[in-house]
């Protein structure tokens, strides 16, 4: 094999017979040679001592399964790594069914054979790489694998379009259009050459900067169907992509309306005015008649175009070149007319009365009277201003006082009219179009002038309005990116073709502004519909050889542009719908059998009809300007964000971009939006914002590697580094909760109400981490961990809990919980509170770890200075759908824990579930405390904390320890002895339990309802019912027998641990007080006592807590984290 000096790649072909193929004498031929056995041992059928055996002797026999070593088995169907993890879809490796049935048997690559599913051989990889195509059909494969791919791969014709035909000409066709032919002359006459150049420069700069940003994005990978929507959504995420994609869709749809209105305006104004259905009887009714005609004919034209698109869209695409030829021919005729005007200006006279421009529809001579056969007779113009044809008729005063003058509408390029057209002539609705050079006698009278044939402004004009009307003439720069699938080299053609098209059209617009101002008289420029030149198209009067070249060319141009809009907009909507990010648009993703978007076309036609009903080209243009500007703004934002984030995948082939240019383009887009129409801009932003929030809350979650995710990561990293500097101030403290969930045997959530409680506490807007520990090793429990994570996420979604899931696999539960308490979270965003459920079945469990884990968790949270919340009977807590109409949240403030007991009820009451519950705070006073003063101090403290709550001080008298307490302690210690034997064998455990049971039976004959200890379970001696019964009996004055029976146990009491007796006394007395005052409360919050320092009394600690909580249904035990969490200061 030939080699070159330097870096090289060595590709070794391996066949199924363990042979390497080496290059033969002739190109394209290979010789198979045996692979030498380098291991020194005998291979099956090959590599024996006789190294030169015939080839057939070295073939591995298929009937011997032990000798078959699979080398390459690249199967697309499972897409699994060797350890069972699904493999990420590849954007360029397209396996076929043929691949699924092939495998490689041999020894050369046996070291890698177990990973061949996920790591194919380079030969296989390169073979699939060469089959890659960037056609739009590959977009679906980029997003998700086509699992139902047929057994035969479809052959796709390689795209052959170059820069000129694929990008440059389509961009020209989309950019040049209706505004150039119908409104540019009027914009030049109204704004003047100077301000017109400013408008053109502003808009063209905006599109050029956008094209630079778009080129960077388009050359950073493949851009399938969808064009700008695809670029924005994959760069800024589904929320921005969906919002801006719909805005771009609405812009394209309203562009269709604008082109149809332009088509009808050309038809009814310049081609066949006689076809008008509505005719104005008076001059002031002309505008309304024109709008009604536009609505009727526009609707018919829209219906016809929709049918054409529905029936045969391929014919629309074939006619695109014809329409483009019309545009180019029209532009050439304009330049030809300009050149001709230098030496032979066309004859289009304009009749002026004084300095006012007259509509030249109903007269043919610009004369008041004329002499025919030596007789002075009046003209048709006389009849328009006088009340009769007679020479002595009463005429309009201004008509009488001023002369008629004929001026040339097209004086020519060298006439010097450019200096007169340099400055603006803005005015209100109804303002007369006047020539300031001509003399005028008399004042205008608007009430009378509206009935006379003057040329007037049909709308109020100002600079910002003209910007909005002109901007649609520079849109269409996305045509190249939309056709990326048809290009031979999209990453080269899109930047060059788009930027050249914008440069060309910018030159055309700038030169047209200057040439129109240099060749055409100002009053004719401001005559929007050419009324002063017998209804000719103003730009047509300049063209050569005939005005009809421009009229016909612009008519077909507008028709073609309208058809293209009605073709492209439904496909854009279909692409958005098929992405699945907006649920209510799913129906528009369907279409005909050939994929044509039928439903999307119907919706597009319906929205397009809204623009037709508006009927005014000048009113529709700013609407679509807003939507296009929104799209361009986010293209620039996408490029800037990607550039600043410096993500590894941001490697555009187009290098002439910079984030500052992108930000400048984005700023220009935003400025033009508000310059054009601030209320339209706000409306467009509101629409995009609503769509954004809808996708955020209801849309499908997509991970496209977008820049907003990267920006969020950078912002999160920066914030985490800042948070790491110092712990939060008390005023900023909020519960960052680590929820310890238990799962059942099928990884289902046992107590979903814990998540409900977490959601109700989230008025603090803190961090939430929902965690679980699986016992085992990660390699064995990986699938269960994934399933548990998904189940927890589903439960969180059902309970509307926003947060993170953390499933840990550990050798034992104790270590797993410890790891979570220590390491959950990141940097400054770590939890400060642990929420868990009370182990209600700890007495019935034969495993002491069930309650030892709980106690160790309490100890570790204390050691980590974290707060602990333990919910008892959490399954009966209210759900997020419940609304507690009344009730109380009772806080039993026994010891100060940093204010957690005060803060939690406040947070709960921010949620709709607890909003109507009142807050009550109880504190315990000893005999030597001043209860009255304590109550006043507590009320003042709550007032300073800005908390509304009722205050009660409960006095606990230092009574003698009751016999009931002694008995409870005795039973507790007997159970402790039993639990200490749990580590014995099952037989010994049963024997020990039976001995204890017999001892209890002999000592307490009267109490014959002691609990029995079975072989698998040890039941508590005192049940809840018996406890209440005994408590009531001990309070009865005539219960002498019961008291005498209890005092008979006095000798056993003396052997009890007095510390345990005192603790039991506290639990019993405090429980009596709490049950007495708060048994009917919706929730009781209570200080949680800490576990004993001596671990030998752990089982007693559980008994103390059980006695403390007895008789209470909804309890939340609270243990502070050792710091103040609430303050009286602002």
């Amino acid at each position: 094999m030939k080699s070159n000096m330097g870096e090289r790649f060595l590709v070794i072909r391996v066949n199924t017979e363990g042979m390497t193929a080496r290059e033969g004498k002739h190109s394209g031929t290979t010789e198979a040679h045996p692979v030498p056995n380098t291991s020194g041992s005998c291979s099956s059928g090959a590599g024996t001592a006789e190294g030169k055996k015939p080839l057939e002797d070295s073939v591995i026999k298929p009937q011997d399964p032990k000798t078959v070593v699979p080398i390459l088995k690249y199967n697309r169907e499972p897409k699994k790594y060797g350890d069972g993890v699904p493999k990420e879809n590849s954007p360029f490796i397209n396996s076929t069914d043929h691949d699924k049935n092939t495998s490689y048997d041999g020894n050369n690559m046996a070291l890698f054979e177990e990973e061949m599913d996920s790591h194919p051989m380079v030969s296989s990889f390169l073979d699939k790489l060469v089959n890659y195509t960037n056609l739009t059909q590959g977009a679906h494969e980029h997003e998700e694998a086509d699992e139902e791919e047929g057994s035969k791969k479809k052959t796709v014709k390689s795209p052959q379009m170059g820069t000129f035909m694929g990008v440059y000409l389509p961009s020209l066709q989309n950019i040049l259009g209706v505004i150039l032919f119908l409104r540019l002359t009027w914009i030049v006459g109204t704004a003047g050459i100077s301000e017109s150049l400013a408008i053109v420069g502003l808009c063209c700069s905006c599109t050029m900067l956008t094209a630079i940003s778009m080129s960077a994005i388009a050359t950073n990978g493949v851009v399938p169907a969808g064009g700008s929507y695809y670029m924005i959504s994959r760069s800024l995420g589904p929320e921005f992509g969906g919002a801006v994609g719909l805005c771009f869709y609405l812009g394209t749809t309203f562009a269709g309306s604008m082109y149809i209105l332009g088509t009808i305006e050309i038809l009814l104004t310049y081609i066949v005015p006689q076809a008008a259905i509505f005719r104005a009887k008076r001059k002031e009714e002309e505008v309304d008649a024109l709008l009604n005609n536009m609505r009727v004919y526009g609707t018919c034209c829209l219906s016809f175009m929709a049918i054409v698109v529905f029936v045969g869209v391929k014919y629309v695409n074939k006619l695109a070149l014809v329409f483009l030829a019309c545009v180019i021919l029209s532009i050439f005729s304009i330049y030809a007319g300009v050149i001709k005007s230098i030496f032979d200006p066309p004859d289009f006279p304009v009749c002026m009365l004084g300095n006012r421009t007259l509509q030249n529809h109903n007269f043919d001579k610009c004369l008041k009277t004329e002499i025919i056969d030596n007789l002075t007779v009046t003209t048709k113009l006389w009849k328009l201003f006088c009340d009769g044809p007679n020479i002595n008729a009463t005429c309009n005063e201004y008509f009488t006082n001023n002369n008629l003058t004929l001026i040339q509408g097209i004086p020519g390029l060298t006439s010097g009219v450019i200096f007169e057209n340099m400055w603006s002539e803005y005015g209100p609705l109804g303002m007369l179009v006047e020539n300031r050079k001509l003399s005028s006698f008399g004042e205008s009278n608007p009430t009378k002038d509206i009935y006379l044939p003057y040329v007037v402004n049909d709308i109020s004009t100002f600079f910002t309005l003209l910007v909005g009307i002109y901007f649609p003439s520079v849109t269409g720069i996305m045509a190249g990116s939309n056709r990326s699938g048809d290009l031979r080299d999209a990453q080269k053609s899109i930047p060059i073709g788009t930027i050249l098209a914008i440069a060309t059209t910018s030159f055309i617009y700038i030169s047209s502004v200057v040439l129109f101002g240099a060749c055409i008289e100002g009053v004719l420029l401001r005559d929007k519909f050419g009324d002063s030149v017998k209804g000719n198209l103003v730009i047509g009067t300049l063209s050569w050889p005939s005005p009809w070249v421009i009229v016909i060319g612009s008519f077909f141009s507008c028709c073609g542009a309208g058809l293209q809009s009605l073709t492209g907009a439904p496909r854009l909507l279909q692409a958005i719908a098929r992405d699945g990010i907006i649920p209510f648009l799913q129906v528009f993703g369907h279409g005909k059998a050939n994929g044509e978007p039928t439903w999307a076309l119907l919706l597009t036609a319906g929205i397009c009809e809204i623009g037709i009903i508006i009927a005014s080209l000048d009113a529709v243009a700013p609407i679509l300007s807003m939507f296009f500007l929104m799209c361009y703004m986010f293209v620039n934002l996408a490029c800037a964000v990607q550039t600043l984030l410096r993500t590894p995948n941001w490697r555009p082939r187009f290098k002439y971009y910079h984030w500052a240019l992108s930000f400048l383009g984005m700023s220009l887009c935003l400025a033009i939006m508000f310059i054009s129409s601030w209320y339209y801009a706000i409306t467009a932003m509101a629409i995009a914002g609503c769509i954004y929030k809808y996708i955020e809350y209801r849309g499908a979650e997509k991970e496209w590697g977008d820049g907003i995710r990267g920006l969020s990561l950078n912002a999160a990293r920066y914030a985490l580094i800042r948070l790491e500097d110092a712990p939060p101030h008390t005023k900023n403290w909020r519960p960052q909760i680590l929820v310890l969930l238990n799962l059942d045997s099928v990884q289902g959530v046992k107590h979903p109400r814990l998540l409900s409680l977490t959601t109700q506490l989230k008025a603090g807007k803190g961090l939430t981490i929902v965690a679980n520990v699986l016992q085992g090793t990660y390699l064995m429990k990986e699938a269960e961990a994934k399933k548990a994570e998904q189940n927890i996420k589903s439960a969180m979604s059902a309970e509307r809990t926003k947060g993170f899931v953390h499933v840990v696999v550990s050798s034992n539960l104790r270590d797993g919980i410890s790891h979570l308490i220590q390491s959950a979270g990141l940097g400054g965003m770590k939890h400060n509170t642990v929420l868990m459920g009370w182990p209600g079945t700890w007495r019935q469990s034969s495993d002491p770890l069930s309650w030892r884990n709980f106690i160790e968790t309490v100890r570790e949270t204390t050691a980590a200075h974290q707060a602990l919340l333990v919910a008892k009977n959490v399954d009966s807590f209210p759900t997020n759908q419940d609304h507690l109409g009344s009730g109380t949240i009772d806080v039993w403030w026994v010891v100060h824990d940093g204010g957690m007991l005060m803060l939690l009820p406040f947070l709960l009451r921010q949620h709709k579930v607890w909003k109507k519950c009142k807050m009550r705070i109880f504190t315990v006073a000893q005999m030597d405390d001043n209860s009255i003063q304590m109550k006043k101090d507590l009320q003042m403290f709550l007032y300073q904390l800005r908390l509304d709550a009722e205050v009660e001080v409960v006095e606990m008298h230092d009574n003698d320890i009751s016999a009931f307490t002694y008995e409870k302690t005795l039973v507790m210690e007997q159970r402790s002895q039993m639990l200490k034997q749990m580590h014995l064998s099952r037989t010994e455990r049963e024997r020990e339990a039976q001995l204890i049971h017999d001892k209890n039976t002999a000592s307490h004959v009267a109490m014959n309802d002691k609990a029995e200890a079975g072989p698998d379970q040890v039941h508590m001696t005192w049940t809840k019912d018996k406890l209440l019964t005994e408590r009531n009996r001990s309070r009865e004055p005539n219960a002498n027998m019961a008291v005498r029976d209890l005092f008979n146990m006095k000798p056993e009491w003396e052997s009890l641990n007095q510390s345990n007796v005192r603790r039991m006394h506290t639990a019993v007395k405090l429980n009596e007080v709490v049950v007495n005052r708060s048994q009917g409360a919706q929730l009781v919050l209570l200080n949680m006592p800490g576990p004993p320092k001596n671990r030998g009394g752990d089982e007693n600690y559980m008994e103390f807590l059980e006695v403390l909580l007895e008789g209470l249904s909804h309890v939340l035990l609270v243990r502070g984290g050792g710091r103040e969490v609430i303050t009286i200061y602002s």
Side-chain angles (χ1 to χ4, degrees):
M1 185 172 291
K2 298 179 180 180
S3 62
N4 298 322
M5 298 300 292
E7 184 179 1
R8 65 174 186 250
F9 292 96
L10 182 63
V11 180
I12 302 176
R13 290 186 54 198
V14 183
N15 61 16
T16 59
E17 299 175 352
M19 307 299 164
T20 57
R22 70 179 184 181
E23 190 174 355
K25 293 180 180 179
H26 303 284
S27 60
T29 64
T30 59
E31 283 185 3
H33 290 269
V35 178
N37 184 6
T38 59
S39 62
S41 60
C42 294
S43 300
S44 49
T48 57
E50 295 81 16
K52 296 184 178 181
K53 296 183 74 173
L55 181 63
E56 56 271 14
D57 294 339
S58 64
V59 176
I60 299 174
K61 297 180 180 180
Q63 61 266 25
D64 186 3
K66 296 182 179 180
T67 61
V68 178
V69 182
I71 292 299
L72 174 59
K73 188 177 181 181
Y74 182 65
N75 188 347
R76 180 187 176 193
E77 182 70 22
K79 283 195 174 71
K80 300 278 188 181
Y81 287 109
D83 52 2
V85 178
K87 179 175 178 283
E88 184 180 356
N89 295 339
S90 172
F92 44 77
I93 299 179
N94 300 324
S95 302
T96 62
D97 287 344
H98 175 70
D99 299 326
K100 298 177 183 180
N101 298 324
T102 61
S103 62
Y104 176 76
D105 299 334
N107 299 325
N108 289 341
M109 297 295 167
L111 187 61
F112 303 96
E113 63 184 2
E114 292 185 356
E115 294 183 324
M116 285 297 178
D117 286 348
S118 58
H119 299 80
M121 287 181 60
V122 174
S123 58
S124 176
F125 174 83
L126 294 176
D127 180 60
K128 292 169 176 60
L129 187 63
V130 298
N131 293 326
Y132 165 65
T133 174
N134 65 346
L135 286 175
T136 54
Q137 286 85 351
H140 181 65
E141 293 183 350
H142 176 68
E143 295 303 324
E144 54 186 36
D146 184 6
E147 298 295 345
E148 298 178 357
E149 188 179 1
S151 59
K152 294 185 179 180
K153 197 170 186 175
K154 295 181 180 179
T155 58
V156 183
K157 187 178 179 181
S158 177
Q160 295 297 327
M161 297 186 72
T163 302
F164 185 75
M165 291 296 294
V167 179
Y168 181 74
L169 290 182
S171 297
L172 278 184
Q173 181 189 0
N174 280 268
I175 295 173
L176 301 172
V178 60
I179 300 297
L180 170 65
F181 300 120
L182 295 184
R183 291 294 182 269
L184 189 57
T185 54
W186 173 71
I187 290 174
V188 173
T190 304
I193 296 176
S194 58
E195 293 186 23
S196 297
L197 287 175
I199 293 173
V200 172
L202 185 68
C203 297
C204 290
S205 299
C206 175
T207 54
M208 180 61 79
L209 292 172
T210 304
I212 292 173
S213 299
M214 183 198 72
S215 298
I217 298 174
T219 58
N220 189 51
V222 183
V223 180
S228 59
Y229 160 70
Y230 184 90
M231 288 190 293
I232 295 172
S233 61
R234 271 55 177 182
S235 297
L236 293 180
E239 294 87 1
F240 277 110
V244 181
L246 277 184
C247 286
F248 189 55
Y249 162 74
L250 291 174
T252 307
T253 304
F254 276 103
S257 300
M258 184 186 72
Y259 292 129
I260 292 173
L261 291 174
T263 302
I264 303 305
E265 183 176 313
I266 294 170
L267 180 69
L268 295 181
T269 307
Y270 307 113
I271 298 179
V272 280
Q274 302 81 9
I277 299 174
F278 300 92
R279 299 183 182 277
K281 296 180 180 180
R282 295 180 297 174
K283 183 175 180 295
E284 63 270 22
E285 297 176 353
E286 288 179 355
V287 175
D288 292 334
L290 176 62
L291 294 180
N292 289 330
N293 285 317
M294 298 281 278
R295 293 184 180 104
V296 173
Y297 278 97
T299 302
C300 296
C301 183
L302 173 62
S303 303
F304 175 74
M305 286 185 176
I307 293 172
V308 170
V309 171
F310 177 78
V311 172
V313 68
K314 59 181 179 181
Y315 301 111
V316 176
N317 294 329
K318 289 181 179 179
L319 288 173
L321 285 178
V322 177
F323 298 139
L324 177 61
C326 293
V327 174
I328 295 175
L329 183 63
S330 301
I331 292 173
F332 277 123
S333 72
I334 294 171
Y335 285 111
V338 170
I339 296 172
K340 180 177 178 295
S341 71
I342 298 175
F343 50 85
D344 184 17
D347 184 25
F348 284 97
V350 177
C351 185
M352 307 291 295
L353 177 61
N355 64 355
R356 301 178 183 179
T357 309
L358 297 178
Q359 291 183 351
N360 193 2
H361 288 298
N362 299 319
F363 63 91
D364 50 2
K365 296 179 180 179
C366 187
L367 298 171
K368 293 182 181 180
T369 60
E370 59 180 340
I371 298 175
I372 300 176
D373 298 333
N374 295 326
L375 295 175
T376 302
V377 296
T378 59
T379 62
K380 293 181 180 179
L381 183 59
W382 177 282
K383 299 175 184 177
L384 298 175
F385 285 90
C386 301
D387 56 5
N390 299 327
I391 196 70
N392 58 355
T394 304
C395 297
N396 178 269
E397 183 180 357
Y398 189 85
F399 179 77
T400 305
N401 297 335
N402 290 274
N403 296 323
L404 291 169
T405 308
L406 269 180
I407 63 172
Q408 272 300 326
I410 312 292
L413 186 63
T414 58
S415 63
V417 74
I418 185 173
F419 301 105
E420 300 173 10
N421 294 330
M422 190 62 67
W423 312 112
S424 61
E425 290 284 347
Y426 299 118
L429 171 67
M431 187 187 81
L432 299 173
V433 176
E434 300 175 339
N435 188 332
R436 306 293 183 188
K437 294 189 305 179
L438 301 178
S439 59
S440 175
F441 302 96
E443 300 294 330
S444 61
N445 186 353
T447 57
K448 295 181 179 180
D449 292 342
I450 59 174
Y451 300 103
L452 299 175
Y454 294 125
V455 178
V456 297
N457 285 351
D458 64 330
I459 59 172
S460 298
T461 55
F462 41 88
F463 177 80
T464 57
L465 173 72
L466 299 186
V467 173
I469 292 176
Y470 172 77
F471 188 81
S473 65
V474 296
T475 59
I477 62 174
M478 300 291 184
S481 63
N482 290 345
R483 294 167 178 254
S484 62
D486 301 325
L487 302 175
R488 186 165 50 246
D489 186 357
Q491 298 192 0
K492 176 184 175 183
S493 298
I494 289 177
I496 295 175
T498 304
I499 292 175
L500 280 180
I502 294 175
T504 303
T505 53
S506 298
F507 170 77
I508 292 173
Y509 284 129
I510 292 173
S511 62
S512 296
V513 167
V514 175
L515 294 176
F516 291 164
C519 296
I520 304 176
E521 180 62 43
V523 291
L524 181 57
L525 285 174
R526 297 195 297 277
D527 184 4
K528 183 186 291 186
F529 300 106
D531 292 324
S532 61
V533 286
K534 294 187 178 297
N536 278 295
L537 182 63
V538 175
I539 196 173
T541 61
L542 181 62
S543 64
W544 180 86
S546 168
W548 284 102
V549 175
I550 292 287
V551 172
I552 301 300
S554 60
F555 176 79
F556 283 111
S557 172
C558 292
C559 284
L563 286 171
Q564 291 288 349
S565 297
L566 288 178
T567 303
R571 281 158 179 74
L572 178 60
L573 181 62
Q574 187 181 46
I576 298 173
R578 286 183 172 175
D579 263 345
I581 58 175
I582 305 178
F584 70 84
L585 290 181
Q586 295 287 344
V587 65
F588 299 108
H590 306 293
K592 293 193 294 185
N594 60 353
E596 293 299 321
T598 307
W599 294 107
L601 178 61
L602 289 176
L603 179 64
T604 301
I607 297 175
C608 206
E609 179 64 20
I610 297 175
I612 300 297
I613 292 174
I614 295 175
S616 172
L617 184 68
D618 302 322
V620 173
I623 297 176
L624 66 98
S625 295
M626 292 303 114
F627 293 122
F628 278 120
L629 281 165
M630 284 276 293
C631 178
Y632 296 165
M633 181 175 70
F634 280 99
V635 168
N636 285 294
L637 176 62
C639 180
V641 168
Q642 297 278 26
T643 305
L644 290 175
L645 288 179
R646 299 177 182 176
T647 53
N649 192 54
W650 179 247
R651 303 184 301 274
R653 291 191 178 275
F654 180 78
K655 302 298 181 184
Y656 305 101
Y657 67 95
H658 193 269
W659 65 265
L661 293 177
S662 298
F663 268 117
L664 179 60
M666 184 181 69
S667 303
L668 272 179
C669 291
L670 190 62
I672 294 174
M673 286 178 68
F674 282 92
I675 286 174
S676 303
S677 175
W678 62 268
Y679 46 89
Y680 279 159
I682 293 175
T683 303
M685 288 183 170
I687 292 172
C690 292
I691 298 170
Y692 178 95
K693 298 305 291 184
Y694 177 81
I695 297 174
E696 186 178 29
Y697 285 106
R698 297 293 304 276
E701 293 185 3
K702 299 283 185 179
E703 176 53 64
W704 288 331
D706 51 86
I708 292 299
R709 296 291 179 93
L711 188 63
S712 301
L713 286 173
N714 273 13
R717 179 183 61 84
Y718 176 77
L720 286 172
I721 292 173
R722 291 288 304 273
L723 287 173
E724 189 76 16
D725 293 342
H729 190 273
T730 302
K731 290 185 288 186
N732 292 327
W733 193 95
R734 58 191 64 190
Q736 322 275 18
I737 302 176
L738 171 65
V739 185
L740 298 179
L741 276 185
N742 288 330
L743 303 181
D744 55 26
S745 58
V746 294
Q747 312 308 325
V749 177
K750 277 187 178 180
H751 306 294
R753 297 290 176 88
L754 267 180
L755 298 176
S756 302
L757 180 60
T758 305
T759 304
Q760 293 157 20
L761 281 169
K762 287 300 289 182
K765 304 294 183 185
L767 172 73
T768 298
I769 303 174
V770 182
N772 174 254
V773 179
L774 294 179
Q775 192 167 352
T777 60
Y778 184 71
L779 292 178
M780 300 297 295
K781 296 283 188 177
E782 181 211 0
E784 292 184 27
K786 298 291 184 184
K787 182 180 178 182
E789 186 174 339
Q790 291 301 321
N791 290 345
I792 293 174
K793 284 182 178 179
S794 300
M796 291 175 66
S797 177
E799 299 296 337
R800 297 182 180 178
T801 304
K802 292 187 177 182
F804 307 98
V805 179
H806 197 171
V807 177
V808 172
V809 181
S810 178
S811 58
N812 59 75
L813 298 179
R814 174 70 258 123
D815 290 344
I817 294 175
S818 178
H819 294 158
L820 285 172
I821 292 174
Q822 294 177 62
S823 61
L826 181 64
M829 285 298 287
K830 292 181 68 69
H831 63 279
N832 54 30
T833 305
V834 177
L835 173 62
M836 60 190 304
W838 171 257
T841 60
W842 71 275
R843 282 175 169 170
Q844 287 76 32
S845 176
S846 59
D847 185 7
L849 291 178
S850 63
W851 51 269
R852 289 192 185 276
N853 287 342
F854 173 80
I855 298 174
E856 290 301 317
T857 303
V858 177
R859 285 197 174 101
E860 291 193 357
T861 55
T862 303
H865 302 288
Q866 296 173 5
L868 177 65
L869 308 178
V870 180
K872 182 190 177 186
N873 298 330
V874 69
D875 291 331
S876 62
F877 275 44
T879 65
N880 292 326
Q881 287 72 37
D882 295 335
H883 293 274
L884 303 178
S886 61
T888 60
I889 301 176
D890 288 358
V891 177
W892 283 86
W893 193 18
V894 181
V895 295
H896 182 57
D897 60 349
M900 277 288 288
L901 281 171
M902 307 293 181
L903 185 62
L904 293 177
F906 169 77
L907 296 178
L908 284 173
R909 292 180 65 202
Q910 306 305 305
H911 196 273
K912 61 183 180 180
V913 174
W914 304 92
K915 195 163 190 174
K916 295 184 179 180
C917 292
K918 294 182 179 179
M919 180 176 169
R920 297 193 303 179
I921 295 183
F922 298 89
T923 187
V924 178
Q926 302 299 323
M927 288 298 295
D928 53 350
D929 293 330
N930 187 341
S931 302
I932 298 176
Q933 187 61 37
M934 280 182 65
K935 184 173 183 178
K936 289 181 180 179
D937 293 342
L938 183 53
Q939 288 174 336
M940 178 57 66
F941 180 59
L942 292 177
Y943 176 78
Q944 292 173 336
L945 289 176
R946 290 89 64 198
L947 296 176
D948 296 326
E950 299 178 8
V951 176
E952 289 191 36
V953 177
V954 180
E955 295 182 353
M956 288 185 63
H957 300 288
D958 193 9
N959 295 336
D960 293 335
I961 298 175
S962 65
F964 176 76
T965 301
Y966 278 109
E967 175 59 21
K968 287 290 294 181
T969 309
L970 175 63
V971 173
M972 178 187 70
E973 292 195 352
Q974 290 174 344
R975 176 176 172 80
S976 298
Q977 295 176 15
M978 188 181 304
L979 293 175
K980 287 177 181 178
Q981 303 300 324
M982 287 297 182
H983 65 281
L984 302 176
S985 64
R986 179 171 182 177
T987 305
E988 293 174 346
R989 186 170 70 245
E990 292 177 5
R991 187 187 309 116
E992 184 74 8
Q994 188 63 39
L995 289 174
I996 295 175
H997 171 65
D998 295 342
K999 179 182 178 182
N1000 291 338
T1001 305
S1003 300
H1004 312 289
V1005 179
M1007 305 173 70
N1008 54 10
D1009 56 346
K1010 293 285 187 178
E1012 294 181 3
D1016 294 324
Q1017 286 188 332
V1018 179
H1019 295 283
M1020 182 60 191
T1021 307
W1022 283 71
T1023 62
K1024 178 179 177 181
D1025 295 337
K1026 181 165 182 59
L1027 173 63
L1028 295 175
T1029 303
E1030 290 298 331
R1031 178 181 295 172
N1032 294 331
R1033 288 175 57 193
S1034 65
R1035 293 172 183 169
E1036 294 176 3
N1038 57 353
N1040 296 328
M1041 181 59 68
V1043 173
R1044 187 165 57 250
D1045 289 341
L1046 289 173
F1047 274 98
N1048 288 337
M1049 293 183 288
K1050 182 81 176 198
E1052 297 187 10
W1053 296 351
E1054 293 176 352
S1055 63
L1056 295 176
N1057 187 319
Q1058 293 304 308
S1059 175
N1060 287 341
V1061 174
R1062 290 197 310 273
R1063 292 171 184 269
M1064 183 63 75
H1065 174 72
T1066 303
V1068 170
K1069 294 297 292 183
L1070 189 56
N1071 176 259
E1072 285 183 9
V1073 175
V1074 175
V1075 170
N1076 187 34
R1077 299 296 185 94
S1078 302
Q1079 194 167 21
Q1082 298 287 1
L1083 182 63
V1084 177
L1085 281 79
L1086 186 63
N1087 283 117
M1088 181 178 184
K1093 295 181 180 179
N1094 180 13
R1095 297 178 183 270
D1098 284 355
E1099 60 275 9
N1100 297 337
Y1101 174 70
M1102 295 297 292
E1103 290 286 356
F1104 296 144
L1105 292 182
E1106 196 72 61
V1107 172
L1108 182 63
L1109 303 178
E1110 206 154 13
L1112 299 173
S1113 55
H1114 299 155
V1115 184
L1116 189 63
L1117 288 173
V1118 180
R1119 185 163 175 78
R1123 61 162 295 169
E1124 294 293 329
V1125 300
I1126 195 167
T1127 178
I1128 63 175
Y1129 300 105
S1130 61

